Amino acid sequence: MSVAPLPLAVIDVIIPAYNEEQSIARVLAEIPAGLVREVIVVDNNSRDQTGPVAAAAGATVLREPRPGYGHACLAGMARCYGRPPAEQPDIIVFLDGDYSDYPADMTALVAPLLRQEADVVIGSRALGQREAGSMLPQQLFGNWLATTLLRYLYGAQFTDLGPFRAVRREALLRIGMQDTTYGWTVEMQLKAAKLGLRCTEVPVRYRRRIGVSKVSGTVKGTLGAGYKILWTIFRYL
């Protein structure tokens, strides 16, 4: 994905990671050189060597012992907002640590923000190229159902709840993220729509993750995520 040269901005990346020692170094190695100031890997109480591997690859590693995707994201945000105001990032990118996303697509992901055309950018797997088997049937159905509900209930035009996303710092503060588990992504999108923030999507590539998914790879994870996403959608009506 090629884009025109972009103005400078301070970009930090947050990667929630739970037992991703086999993939995290590959994710970090493929983040476009020179684009990002700091990569924060939040070790979400892993039982393997995720943290040490990430640190050896050059990431800032935080440990968040409370389980939950949202807990990890909030810990990374606290790091960004804990800096002096003049040193806080202009843009925060969220990226998974399982190597299912293509970090190289980050340049295209942040482009609408750098051009001042959007406040929130979602990397859409539905619009991009997906490797066969990278999204299971329950994921495809869940995305369709959630985005359909967002459209009818909130007027939000999304095709995906993909975790690969970029947000302007001020917009993220206005959104006021609270969810600590599976409702994180949909909370951000529906609140952004309610606030009238400028939201857009860019196509991103997607491949089979390294290892087994903690959500779609188990019945418990699938049901838990589905329930939490639907509960979050109706909670904010």
Side-chain angles (χ1 to χ4, degrees):
M1 297 182 181
S2 62
V3 295
L6 300 168
L8 295 177
V10 176
I11 301 173
D12 288 347
V13 177
I14 296 173
I15 304 178
Y18 173 63
N19 292 342
E20 304 291 5
E21 68 175 358
Q22 295 180 344
S23 58
I24 192 64
R26 298 180 70 174
V27 173
L28 295 171
E30 293 186 15
I31 292 175
L35 182 65
V36 171
R37 176 184 64 178
E38 182 177 38
V39 180
I40 304 162
V41 172
V42 184
D43 182 355
N44 197 200
N45 207 28
S46 298
R47 298 189 299 273
D48 62 7
Q49 295 300 303
T50 294
V53 171
T60 298
V61 177
L62 307 178
R63 186 163 179 83
E64 172 51 74
R66 295 171 295 179
Y69 185 86
H71 274 309
C73 291
L74 289 167
M77 289 167 55
R79 161 78 180 184
C80 294
Y81 293 127
R83 291 177 175 271
E87 299 177 14
Q88 293 182 11
D90 301 303
I91 294 168
I92 297 176
V93 174
F94 296 90
L95 171 67
D96 274 359
D98 59 12
Y99 202 58
S100 55
D101 298 308
Y102 285 73
D105 290 347
M106 194 179 300
T107 304
L109 187 76
V110 301
L113 302 178
L114 296 176
R115 293 194 299 261
Q116 306 294 325
E117 296 172 355
D119 303 303
V120 178
V121 181
I122 305 299
S124 173
R125 301 164 295 183
L127 299 177
Q129 297 177 343
R130 298 194 307 269
E131 180 184 8
S134 59
M135 292 186 71
L136 299 177
Q138 59 266 35
Q139 290 177 283
L140 295 170
F141 174 75
N143 262 323
W144 171 82
L145 177 60
T147 55
T148 298
L149 289 172
L150 287 177
R151 183 167 62 254
Y152 283 110
L153 298 176
Y154 296 96
Q157 301 296 319
F158 295 111
T159 64
D160 195 7
L161 303 182
F164 196 11
R165 53 187 58 208
V167 192
R168 295 188 62 80
R169 179 191 70 239
E170 299 92 341
L172 194 56
L173 282 171
R174 287 185 62 194
I175 289 170
M177 293 298 300
Q178 298 178 4
D179 194 88
T180 58
T181 57
Y182 301 125
W184 173 271
T185 56
V186 73
E187 179 195 5
M188 184 184 295
Q189 287 165 252
L190 71 84
K191 283 186 172 180
K194 289 189 71 172
L195 288 167
L197 297 177
R198 299 170 300 164
C199 301
T200 191
E201 294 182 312
V202 299
V204 294
R205 296 168 291 173
Y206 200 67
R207 61 192 155 204
R208 295 190 185 198
R209 58 158 294 145
I210 294 176
V212 178
S213 172
K214 291 82 178 176
V215 180
S216 60
T218 67
V219 174
K220 179 181 178 182
T222 299
L223 294 175
Y227 171 80
K228 186 59 180 294
I229 288 170
L230 291 174
W231 181 84
T232 302
I233 289 173
F234 287 102
R235 173 189 177 190
Y236 289 99
L237 285 175

